[in-house]
Coordinates of all heavy atoms in Angstrom, one line a residue:
T7 N 203.7 -50.7 56.2 CA 205.0 -51.1 56.8 C 205.7 -52.0 55.8 O 207.0 -51.8 55.7 CB 204.7 -51.9 58.0 OG1 203.7 -53.0 57.8 CG2 204.1 -51.0 59.2
W8 N 205.1 -52.8 55.0 CA 205.8 -53.6 54.0 C 206.5 -52.7 53.0 O 207.6 -53.1 52.5 CB 204.9 -54.7 53.4 CG 203.8 -54.1 52.5 CD1 202.5 -53.9 52.9 CD2 203.8 -53.7 51.2 NE1 201.7 -53.3 51.8 CE2 202.5 -53.3 50.8 CE3 204.9 -53.6 50.2 CZ2 202.3 -52.7 49.6 CZ3 204.5 -53.1 49.0 CH2 203.4 -52.7 48.6
K29 N 225.3 -69.4 49.7 CA 224.1 -68.7 49.0 C 223.2 -68.0 50.2 O 222.1 -68.3 50.3 CB 223.2 -69.7 48.2 CG 223.9 -70.4 47.1 CD 224.3 -69.4 46.0 CE 225.0 -70.1 44.8 NZ 225.3 -69.1 43.8
C44 N 217.3 -64.6 53.8 CA 218.0 -65.3 52.8 C 217.3 -66.6 52.5 O 216.3 -67.0 53.1 CB 219.4 -65.6 53.4 SG 219.4 -67.1 54.6
P45 N 217.7 -67.3 51.4 CA 217.0 -68.6 51.0 C 216.9 -69.5 52.1 O 215.9 -70.3 52.2 CB 217.8 -69.1 49.8 CG 218.4 -67.8 49.3 CD 218.7 -66.9 50.4
V48 N 213.7 -69.3 54.4 CA 212.4 -69.4 53.9 C 211.5 -70.3 54.5 O 210.3 -70.0 54.7 CB 212.6 -69.8 52.3 CG1 211.2 -70.2 51.7 CG2 213.2 -68.7 51.5
H65 N 221.3 -51.8 41.3 CA 220.1 -51.3 42.1 C 219.2 -52.4 42.3 O 219.0 -53.4 41.6 CB 219.4 -50.2 41.3 CG 220.1 -48.9 41.2 ND1 221.2 -48.7 40.3 CD2 220.1 -47.8 42.0 CE1 221.7 -47.5 40.5 NE2 221.1 -46.9 41.5
V68 N 212.3 -55.3 41.5 CA 211.3 -56.3 41.8 C 210.5 -56.6 40.5 O 210.3 -55.7 39.8 CB 210.3 -55.9 42.9 CG1 209.3 -56.9 43.3 CG2 211.0 -55.5 44.2
L70 N 207.7 -56.8 38.0 CA 206.3 -56.1 37.8 C 205.2 -57.0 38.2 O 204.2 -56.6 38.9 CB 206.3 -55.6 36.5 CG 205.0 -54.8 36.1 CD1 204.9 -53.6 37.0 CD2 205.1 -54.4 34.7
N81 N 202.2 -46.1 35.0 CA 202.9 -44.9 34.9 C 204.5 -45.1 35.4 O 205.2 -44.1 35.5 CB 202.4 -43.7 35.4 CG 201.1 -43.3 34.7 OD1 200.8 -43.6 33.5 ND2 200.1 -42.8 35.5
I87 N 214.5 -57.9 32.3 CA 215.6 -58.7 32.7 C 215.3 -60.2 32.6 O 214.3 -60.7 33.2 CB 216.0 -58.5 34.1 CG1 216.3 -57.0 34.3 CG2 217.2 -59.2 34.5 CD1 216.7 -56.6 35.7
N88 N 215.9 -61.0 31.7 CA 215.7 -62.4 31.5 C 214.2 -62.7 31.3 O 213.5 -63.5 31.9 CB 216.0 -63.1 32.8 CG 217.6 -63.1 33.1 OD1 218.4 -62.9 32.2 ND2 218.0 -63.2 34.4
K96 N 214.0 -48.0 44.5 CA 214.4 -46.6 45.1 C 214.6 -45.6 44.0 O 214.7 -46.0 42.8 CB 215.6 -46.8 45.9 CG 215.4 -47.7 47.1 CD 216.7 -47.8 47.9 CE 216.7 -48.7 49.0 NZ 218.0 -48.8 49.8
K97 N 214.6 -44.4 44.3 CA 214.9 -43.3 43.4 C 216.3 -43.4 42.8 O 217.2 -43.9 43.5 CB 214.8 -41.9 44.1 CG 213.3 -41.7 44.6 CD 213.3 -40.2 45.1 CE 211.9 -39.9 45.7 NZ 211.9 -38.5 46.2
R116 N 214.7 -37.9 36.1 CA 215.4 -38.9 35.2 C 214.6 -38.9 33.9 O 213.3 -39.0 33.8 CB 215.4 -40.2 35.9 CG 216.1 -41.3 34.9 CD 216.3 -42.5 35.7 NE 217.4 -42.4 36.6 CZ 218.7 -42.7 36.2 NH1 219.0 -43.0 35.0 NH2 219.7 -42.6 37.1
G128 N 209.5 -45.9 44.4 CA 209.6 -44.8 45.5 C 209.2 -43.5 44.9 O 208.5 -42.6 45.7
D140 N 197.1 -39.5 50.3 CA 196.5 -40.7 50.6 C 196.9 -41.8 49.6 O 196.7 -41.7 48.4 CB 195.0 -40.6 50.7 CG 194.3 -41.9 51.2 OD1 195.1 -42.8 51.6 OD2 193.1 -41.9 51.3
I141 N 197.6 -42.9 50.0 CA 198.0 -43.8 49.1 C 197.0 -45.1 49.1 O 197.3 -46.0 48.3 CB 199.4 -44.3 49.5 CG1 200.1 -45.0 48.3 CG2 199.4 -45.2 50.7 CD1 201.5 -45.4 48.5
P143 N 194.1 -45.8 47.9 CA 193.4 -46.0 46.7 C 194.3 -46.9 45.7 O 193.8 -47.5 44.9 CB 192.9 -44.8 46.2 CG 192.8 -43.8 47.3 CD 194.0 -44.2 48.1
F158 N 216.0 -69.9 43.6 CA 217.0 -71.0 44.0 C 216.6 -71.5 45.3 O 216.4 -70.9 46.3 CB 218.4 -70.3 44.1 CG 219.5 -71.1 44.7 CD1 220.0 -72.2 43.9 CD2 219.8 -71.0 45.9 CE1 221.0 -72.9 44.5 CE2 220.9 -71.8 46.5 CZ 221.4 -72.8 45.8
I159 N 216.7 -72.9 45.4 CA 216.4 -73.6 46.7 C 217.8 -74.2 47.0 O 218.4 -75.0 46.4 CB 215.4 -74.7 46.5 CG1 214.1 -74.1 46.0 CG2 215.2 -75.6 47.8 CD1 213.0 -75.1 45.7
G195 N 213.3 -114.1 56.1 CA 213.2 -113.5 54.7 C 212.5 -112.3 54.7 O 212.6 -111.5 53.6
C210 N 204.6 -104.8 43.9 CA 206.1 -104.8 43.6 C 206.8 -104.8 44.9 O 206.7 -103.9 45.7 CB 206.4 -103.6 42.8 SG 208.2 -103.5 42.5
R223 N 208.3 -108.3 40.5 CA 206.9 -108.3 40.7 C 206.4 -109.6 40.9 O 206.9 -110.7 40.5 CB 206.2 -107.7 39.3 CG 206.4 -106.3 39.1 CD 205.4 -105.8 38.0 NE 205.6 -104.3 37.9 CZ 205.0 -103.5 38.7 NH1 204.2 -103.9 39.7 NH2 205.2 -102.1 38.5
N232 N 202.3 -119.5 47.2 CA 203.0 -119.2 48.4 C 204.6 -119.4 48.2 O 205.2 -120.2 49.0 CB 202.5 -120.0 49.6 CG 201.0 -119.6 49.9 OD1 200.8 -118.5 49.8 ND2 200.3 -120.6 50.4
I248 N 228.5 -117.7 31.7 CA 229.5 -117.1 30.9 C 229.2 -117.3 29.4 O 228.9 -118.3 29.0 CB 230.9 -117.7 31.2 CG1 231.2 -117.6 32.7 CG2 232.0 -117.1 30.3 CD1 232.4 -118.2 33.1
R251 N 231.4 -118.4 22.6 CA 231.4 -118.1 21.2 C 231.0 -119.3 20.4 O 231.3 -120.4 20.8 CB 232.7 -117.5 20.7 CG 233.1 -116.2 21.2 CD 234.4 -115.7 20.6 NE 234.7 -114.3 21.1 CZ 235.7 -113.6 20.6 NH1 236.6 -114.1 19.8 NH2 235.9 -112.4 21.1

Side-chain angles (χ1 to χ4, degrees):
T7 53
W8 63 263
K29 303 291 183 181
C44 76
V48 171
H65 290 82
V68 181
L70 177 61
N81 297 325
I87 304 177
N88 298 330
K96 301 179 182 180
K97 296 181 180 181
R116 175 173 288 272
D140 188 3
I141 198 175
F158 171 78
I159 300 178
C210 175
R223 292 197 173 277
N232 294 328
I248 302 175
R251 291 186 177 181

